[in-house]
Amino acid sequence: MFAVPSIIYVAHLKNILDQPNLRTVHESLTPRLGGVAVFAGFMSALTIFGNLGNGVQQLLAGCIILFFIGLKDDLVTISAFKKFVVQLLATGIVMFMADIRITSFQGIFGIEELPVGISYAFTFLVIVGVTNAINLIDGLDGLAGTIVTIIAATLGWYFYQYGGDRFGNYAMVALCLIGGMLGFLRYNFHKATIFMGDTGSLVCGFIVSILTIQFIEMRAVESSPSVALGILFVPLFDTLRVSFIRVMKGMSPFAPDKNHIHHRILAMGFQQISTVLLLGFINGIVILFVLSFSSWGNLYLLGALLGFSLVLSLFLGVYKTRGAQSLSS
C-alpha cells in the first residue's frame, strides 16, 4: 500500500504507461508496474516471517526470475518465446531442485502413480498453463487480484489445517500472497490508477501453480486433482475457452482478442466492478461445490465441471449471437 503511490508517480514521470488499444477495456494512460509492489510485499513478508524449507526457497528463486522477465516485458515488450524460455527455467528450478511435481493422478481414468518422466512433463504443463491462465485473466480492474485472492485463501486454509511438517509452511506463502494482493487492490479496483502488468501476473500465476500442485500432493481432501481444477475454475475455463475459439477460427491460440469471459459479460451490460464481483462469485460457488462433493470421486467431479463449463460456454455464445443479430437488424 505504501509502495504503489511512489510507483504511480515514477511511472507517470518516466512515461511508463499502458496505452489503450482495441483489445483493452481501459480508456486512459495507466501505469502497469503494480506487480513491483505486489512482489515487494510478498517477498519481504515471506522472507522475514516464513519458513523457507520444503521447496519454498526454490519457489522464491523462480519468482525472482519471472519478476525480472515480467518487468522487462512491462517496460519493453518482449517475445512470447523469450517469456516461455524463462518460465521453463523457473519451472525447472522448482521441479528438479525442490522435487515439486504431480506424482499421481489419484485414480483418474484408472491411473495412479505416474512414471517419473511423465510426472515431470505433466507438472511442467500444469505450471506453465496455470501461470499463463492467471496472466490472461488480468483484463479488468481488480479481476486477477480478486481471483488470485480467492484461490490463495482457499488453498492457504487447507495448508494451515492439514499441511503438517511437509506442507504447513505453504499456508504462509498463501497468506503473504493475499497480503500483497490486498495492498495492490486498494489502487486497482475500478477506476484503477495502476495495473498489475506481467510483472505481477506471471509471479502470481507461478505461485498459484505451485500452491495447487502441493495441494494435490497433500491429499487433504478426496479427489484432490478435480477439486484443484474447481478451485482454479474461472482462469482455467477462460483460457481453454478462448484458446478453443481461436483455434476453430484458424487463429493462433495466443492471438489477442475480445473473447474472454469478462469481455462477454461486459457486453451483456454489466459494469466493470459488477463483472469482477460476478466472476469472483462464480469461482467461489464452484469452489464450495467441489469441496462439498469431493466424495463423489474424480470422474464425477470432472463430469460436473465439464457440464457446467459447457452450459456457461453456450450461454456466452448464445448471448453473443443474439447481440450480433440485434445490431445487424
Side-chain angles (χ1 to χ4, degrees), residues 51-194:
N51 175 359
L52 303 186
N54 301 328
V56 174
Q57 183 180 9
Q58 288 77 14
L59 166 64
L60 292 180
C63 288
I64 291 170
I65 294 170
L66 289 171
F67 169 78
F68 282 107
I69 198 67
L71 181 61
K72 183 176 180 181
D73 191 46
D74 286 334
L75 296 174
V76 183
T77 303
I78 61 175
S79 68
F81 177 75
K82 288 182 179 178
K83 284 195 284 187
F84 176 78
V85 170
V86 174
Q87 289 178 31
L88 179 63
L89 176 60
T91 302
I93 290 173
V94 295
M95 283 198 306
F96 295 107
M97 297 185 68
D99 199 33
I100 294 174
R101 57 191 174 90
I102 296 174
T103 59
S104 170
F105 275 5
Q106 300 180 27
I108 299 178
F109 306 119
I111 303 172
E112 292 290 345
E113 295 300 312
L114 296 173
V116 174
I118 294 175
S119 172
Y120 280 121
F122 185 71
T123 302
F124 170 73
L125 291 175
V126 169
I127 295 176
V128 173
V130 172
T131 300
N132 286 286
I134 299 298
N135 191 326
L136 289 173
I137 203 71
D138 185 26
L140 285 186
D141 296 348
L143 179 55
T146 299
I147 297 297
V148 167
T149 301
I150 292 170
I151 292 170
T154 305
L155 297 174
W157 169 253
Y158 277 88
F159 287 125
Y160 174 73
Q161 286 289 94
Y162 308 105
D165 293 336
R166 185 180 174 193
F167 299 103
N169 59 330
Y170 282 90
M172 180 59 76
V173 175
L175 184 63
C176 293
L177 179 59
I178 293 168
M181 284 289 97
L182 293 179
F184 167 70
L185 283 171
R186 160 70 176 79
Y187 304 94
N188 184 238
F189 260 100
H190 190 67
K191 288 186 174 181
T193 53
I194 192 167

